[in-house]
Amino acid sequence: MGIRSFGDKVFDGVNYGIVTLFAIACLFPFFYVAAFSITPYSEYLANPLKLIPYHIELAAYKQILQMPLMWTGYKNTLIITIVGVVLNISLLLISAYPLSKTDLKGRNTIMVLITFTMFFNGGLIPNFYLIKSLHLYNTLWAMILPGVLGAYNLILMKNFVSAIPASLEESAFIDGANEIKVLYKIIVPLSKPAIATFVIFHAVTQWNTFFSAIIYTSKRGLWPLMLILREMVVDDGGVAKDAMDMNNSGITVFTIKMAIIIFATLPILLVYPFMQKYFMKGVLVGSIKG
């Protein structure tokens, strides 16, 4: 690299400063909630913007760990997320691979129909009647199947698979491999960056789902974790009040709310570090190739 001018260094410094401020702005709400989930309420009232508590109080977490509804929500969310991700990745692969073939008959028509679904759909009421007619109402499948395969992600995966050299597949066919073996022995290993990216996308979407649960369930035992959070806020802390120990004056609805938010969001945040090395490569290659 050549010698960088003073203007280049200033430009880089300004960019780093803007990115740093943006990162702080994004992280501040999370640190705020985390800090006050372990802060005694009296200390919070004395200084509502203080992020480092003098005293640490874990009573709110102890209370929510004893709350059966939280564990039911966790179980439902884990099932929805894990099953949804497995189905999503499986359908993406078996759909994108044939669509990446230029000699596939009707390929352009299929792609037009897939793209059409990105802009038009039946709407909420037809979808509700579809779920009812398939006897999926009040089941976890109603929160898994409707969004299991998205047109946008399918197009990105198709573009990614199309970028894999055709010579690799031809060599495998010469060695006697069939289409299924090529898919799982060549396409899947080479598509790990894209797969990791879509795992993150779909896992976050499924983990945060709550609207479909509102529409397709009427049983509290089927609530996902995020619907419990929503009800806690909309009901002015009704769920949080259920978790409170009335004999512990240090626990308030506010503290319970902060603890539940951390309890619900922390697991999905921990997924990112393990997927980070694949994330950017998967997004960029899938979006500009093909």
Side-chain angles (χ1 to χ4, degrees), residues 13 39 46-47 63 84 90 108 120 128 131 178:
T39 301
N47 193 347
Q63 288 299 309
S90 301
N108 292 335
F120 304 97
F128 176 81
I131 294 296
N178 55 25

Side-chain angles (χ1 to χ4, degrees), residues 249-266:
S249 59
I251 301 178
T252 65
V253 172
F254 174 82
T255 309
I256 292 289
K257 284 182 178 183
M258 299 296 104
I260 291 179
I261 291 172
I262 296 299
F263 186 72
T265 57
L266 188 60

